[in-house]
Amino acid sequence: MPAALTRRHFLRTTAALSAAAALAPRQLFAQQADMVAQSRAAAAKVPIKTTKLYDNVFLLQGQGGNMALQTGPEGKILIDSSFSTAAPALLEAISKAGEGPAYTLINTHWHFDHTDGNEATHAAGYRILAHENTLTRLSTPQVIKAFGLSLPAAPAGARPTATFGSTFHLHKNGDTLDLVHFDPAHTDTDIYIHFQKADVLHLGDTFFNGFYPFIDEGTGGTIHGMIHANEKALALAGNSTKIIPGHGPLGDKAALQSFHDMLSAIRDKVAALKSQGLTEKEAAAKKPTADFDATWAKGIMSPAAFTGIVYRTV
Ligand SMILES: [Zn+2]
């Protein structure tokens, strides 16, 4: 599938998200059901694009967050599960990619565009491994205020079956996978997964490659946390490390560095305005993102919406 098509689908969904955020509260309830339904309906039609990153490691991209797959005789390891409606195409792409029985699904964090396919993947034989906070978030109702979303607890079959606190290591199919929890960044559930030998690093939604990120302040996300997470990842990555963002095209250390530098510059500008006593509205009116908008204002977050998150969490 051409990259432009993926991007078009992404923008269509994110436009719906932004529209939902702008609605009056009374209209939200009807809209949010539409939004989840809309994403699922779109995901049913979007093919899964498979890109080989290493002998037995692949990038899988569809409607939801970016996924990764390791194949091998000791069992397949999948990272994130997209939308429930993408499951048939996802399972087919997994089966075409290479050998091995179902083994483990890892969730990078709790958000539904990364975990909605958990139940179907679990039913196909995968255990679900995630940070302990992901289990907590998926086991209880959650609210994403920015999008007017009230999400019920995930079904029992969609919840992690194994969890960890700070780090976990998997030794499978000739490689070692390091799973490490970030301090709260995009949410309080974020982890990275580093395939040591393949030198592939999945950063989940602590990295949006090419556009302003959503930061989920309702479940622990902060601008400082995002920047710290990027710094941790930059210290780990080499110049040839393949870096998978939660959204956007495959990245590398230089792309992550640009993202980090953009976040840091905007954080500093917004922090200065806030310390001068400006309200959130007044700070946004100063357009602290203006130098970056031509490059970064291309996705889910408008400059004003992104400035608001930075202001509230700085
Ligand atoms: Zn997310």
Side-chain angles (χ1 to χ4, degrees), residues 109 111 113-114 186 205:
H109 64 297
H111 281 157
D113 53 332
H114 300 256
H186 167 73
D205 281 1

Side-chain angles (χ1 to χ4, degrees), residues 109-114 186-187 190 204-205 208 214 216 247:
H109 64 297
W110 77 272
H111 281 157
F112 71 103
D113 53 332
H114 300 256
H186 167 73
T187 66
D190 307 309
D205 281 1
F208 280 54
F214 170 56
D216 188 356
H247 298 277

Side-chain angles (χ1 to χ4, degrees), residues 225-313:
M226 285 288 281
I227 292 167
H228 289 151
N230 290 168
E231 284 164 0
K232 200 167 178 177
L234 284 165
L236 182 72
N239 290 331
S240 56
T241 305
K242 294 184 169 74
I243 304 183
I244 302 175
H247 298 277
L250 180 68
D252 57 14
K253 190 173 184 176
L256 180 61
Q257 185 75 55
S258 303
F259 180 72
H260 164 274
D261 294 351
M262 174 275 291
L263 292 185
S264 300
I266 292 175
R267 185 262 318 263
D268 292 348
K269 286 187 181 209
V270 174
L273 295 171
K274 191 171 178 176
S275 70
Q276 288 162 25
L278 273 68
T279 64
E280 182 182 327
K281 213 172 168 185
E282 288 163 350
K286 297 276 184 193
K287 301 195 184 309
T289 65
D291 293 347
F292 299 93
D293 289 348
T295 309
W296 297 93
K298 293 172 178 168
I300 185 165
M301 303 304 293
S302 70
F306 181 58
T307 302
I309 289 179
V310 176
Y311 182 94
R312 292 189 297 275
T313 67

Side-chain angles (χ1 to χ4, degrees), residues 75-271:
K76 287 173 172 166
I77 298 174
L78 175 68
I79 301 175
D80 283 348
S81 64
S82 187
F83 288 102
S84 54
T85 46
L90 174 60
L91 292 171
E92 194 188 332
I94 289 172
S95 138
K96 279 185 184 163
E99 60 167 342
Y103 175 53
T104 294
L105 164 66
I106 299 168
N107 287 145
T108 58
H109 64 297
W110 77 272
H111 281 157
F112 71 103
D113 53 332
H114 300 256
T115 59
D116 193 46
N118 276 13
E119 192 173 27
T121 311
H122 185 54
Y126 291 78
R127 67 166 182 162
I128 306 173
L129 173 63
H131 186 262
E132 57 200 19
N133 291 348
T134 295
L135 175 61
T136 305
R137 295 281 178 202
L138 288 179
S139 304
T140 47
Q142 299 295 326
V143 172
I144 303 181
K145 208 171 146 195
F147 301 142
L149 270 176
S150 295
L151 299 159
R159 298 179 196 172
T161 55
T163 60
F164 64 95
S166 54
T167 58
F168 195 91
H169 303 282
L170 279 168
H171 306 279
K172 285 286 170 189
N173 303 308
D175 208 340
T176 294
L177 283 68
D178 300 325
L179 286 66
V180 179
H181 182 233
F182 286 117
D183 290 333
H186 167 73
T187 66
D188 61 5
T189 65
D190 307 309
I191 63 167
Y192 73 71
I193 300 96
H194 185 218
F195 296 79
Q196 286 187 10
K197 190 172 164 192
D199 200 13
V200 170
L201 179 60
H202 197 318
L203 293 180
D205 281 1
T206 65
F207 181 27
F208 280 54
N209 191 10
F211 32 94
Y212 294 138
F214 170 56
I215 301 171
D216 188 356
E217 59 201 293
T219 65
T222 70
I223 182 66
H224 294 303
M226 285 288 281
I227 292 167
H228 289 151
N230 290 168
E231 284 164 0
K232 200 167 178 177
L234 284 165
L236 182 72
N239 290 331
S240 56
T241 305
K242 294 184 169 74
I243 304 183
I244 302 175
H247 298 277
L250 180 68
D252 57 14
K253 190 173 184 176
L256 180 61
Q257 185 75 55
S258 303
F259 180 72
H260 164 274
D261 294 351
M262 174 275 291
L263 292 185
S264 300
I266 292 175
R267 185 262 318 263
D268 292 348
K269 286 187 181 209
V270 174

